[in-house]
Amino acid sequence: MLFGIQSSRPLYKKDLKSLKDSYDNYLNRFRLKKKQTVNINFGEKTIFLFQNSKKKNYNYLKNTNYFVFIEGQIFLKSKKINCKDILNHYLKNGEKFYTKYDGSFFILIFNIEKRLIKVFKNLTNSQSFYYYKKNKNILFGTNLYFFLKNNMIDKKFNNQFLTKYTTCNYRNVYGRIFTPISGVSNSLPHSILSFNSRNIVNNKNINPRMFLENIKLDIHNTKALTKSFDYQMKTNLKNQIIKKQETCFLSSGGFDSAILLSMIQKKLNIFTMYFDDKNFNEIQNSKILGKLFGNKHTFVKITPRDFKKNLKSMYKIFDLPMATASQLAFYILYKKLPKNFKKVMTGYGGDYVFGGSYNSYLFNLADIKFKYKNKKLFKHELKCWRDNHSTFNNNKNSLIFKNFERKFINKKNLGKIKDSNLNLVSPDIFKNKKYINLLNKNKLNITNAGSYLKSYTLNAFKYESVAPTLDTDATIDASSDVKTISPYLNNNIIN
């Protein structure tokens, strides 16, 4: 986390007090230690406040000409790099130096002489950086709570956020430039934000293809893809430096968990959360994985009472309305973990990587039926979906697929998804013409990626995966003693 201010004049005492008070409020909210605070002050015009529990030169560096700060972890060709490496790469290669990096991060570089701050965001956008300009001050930080508690800000609700959230859903507000607080902006994915003491100088978008240039793969060569995936996953696991005493594994018993557990060389302690509802109880599957790959296997029951007890605490830590209730279950689980575990490994993000979410199956069925016109395979896959995915409360049948086909599939333009319905609430909810017009204005624009499944997966990364990823970051911040690891949330894997 990082907070700070950039001003064209030395700050008044009341401004300095407001900055410190809002920072202290944040520390208290997340139970962070004040003694780990680093305060770097450049003539009381530019101030950076952040927590540092790591070695200097890894997440920050200050020399005569530059101040560098990184949020997250950064790798280059499987080697973890620090701020010193980053500054050298920047000075040698210019602004696009970071497109070859892997990891989940943003980078801030402050040119002391020019008093110019640049913030570099990567492709996956899993780290937030907010900024707010008023008069001769630009306030910035990594969490909206800091802004809510700062007296320099006019705290008004953003109508654009409210409109998009109510006429669409979380997918159309997460990872966007606007935020719930009017005037507070969020830097965008694959972008470079530049600002000095007076103005936002530039907000440059970097073509996503720049991040993909060093990946040369034939996507139709299954063996090559499998080999590359296997190598990258093992590299990601190696980068995490897994220690048995400090690292445990959270297993759902599903596909994503199974792949990771089979790749980890050490037998870790496994935790599985479960619920009373039989439709969400995967204990039997998880027990099999525990016997094959685990050391000790512990089952943690999550009850409705747990949810009610912790819900208020959760809402206090989120920048935006919670996108997925699963974060509440994670939060409860983290509180119940033994204190010696500092890292929790999960298969989080595997659904997006493998196109394995519920909707992906339906879009794949549409490809088989309309793009590849394979009647025999379509009939077989539809039967598998009906027989294996049905639950007591949610039966699957061909009528559900036909309804899905009508709403989402553009049969004239093969591979194209109907923009008007994707991820939006049903127009039937809004009878008023005014709300129907708002719905039409807030469509998600989905490009045709060549097949229905690819178009949907592209959409999932652009709109859908951002929200739960940022939710996860907030949950991790709230559980500051525990770090969550997922080798799937990795630029090279996603690319």
Side-chain angles (χ1 to χ4, degrees), residues 277 279-280 390-396:
D277 192 323
N279 288 318
F280 300 99
S390 290
T391 64
F392 182 76
N393 293 320
N394 193 0
N395 193 30
K396 308 292 189 296

Side-chain angles (χ1 to χ4, degrees), residues 231-248:
Y231 168 78
Q232 191 59 53
M233 286 295 287
K234 285 175 179 173
T235 301
N236 296 348
L237 287 166
K238 187 180 175 183
N239 288 342
Q240 297 301 338
I241 312 172
I242 300 164
K243 295 178 182 177
K244 280 181 71 172
Q245 300 79 9
E246 295 180 2
T247 310
C248 62

Side-chain angles (χ1 to χ4, degrees), residues 367-409:
D367 277 327
I368 294 167
K369 184 177 180 180
F370 300 109
K371 187 173 170 63
Y372 305 115
K373 296 181 170 52
N374 190 330
K375 289 182 181 179
K376 188 178 178 181
L377 182 61
F378 173 75
K379 194 175 178 181
H380 170 77
E381 290 294 314
L382 187 68
K383 184 179 183 299
C384 287
W385 177 63
R386 186 194 67 205
D387 295 348
N388 300 320
H389 288 247
S390 290
T391 64
F392 182 76
N393 293 320
N394 193 0
N395 193 30
K396 308 292 189 296
N397 54 55
S398 57
L399 290 174
I400 292 173
F401 177 75
K402 281 181 180 176
N403 186 48
F404 166 83
E405 176 190 311
R406 180 180 56 80
K407 282 182 73 177
F408 296 108
I409 302 303

Side-chain angles (χ1 to χ4, degrees), residues 69-71 105-108 119-121 127-129 142:
F69 178 88
I70 61 174
E71 182 87 351
F105 64 88
F106 75 72
I107 300 167
L108 180 146
V119 178
F120 302 85
K121 290 285 287 287
Q127 305 283 347
S128 297
F129 184 88
T142 53

Side-chain angles (χ1 to χ4, degrees), residues 301-316:
K301 187 177 181 180
I302 308 289
T303 67
R305 188 178 177 184
D306 288 324
F307 275 80
K308 287 177 184 176
K309 187 179 173 184
N310 288 280
L311 192 59
K312 196 174 279 188
S313 299
M314 281 297 280
Y315 275 119
K316 286 178 180 176

Side-chain angles (χ1 to χ4, degrees), residues 359-367 404 409 417 452-453 456:
N359 288 334
S360 301
Y361 202 96
L362 295 173
F363 284 110
N364 188 48
L365 281 173
D367 277 327
F404 166 83
I409 302 303
I417 297 169
Y452 298 114
L453 179 58
Y456 173 71

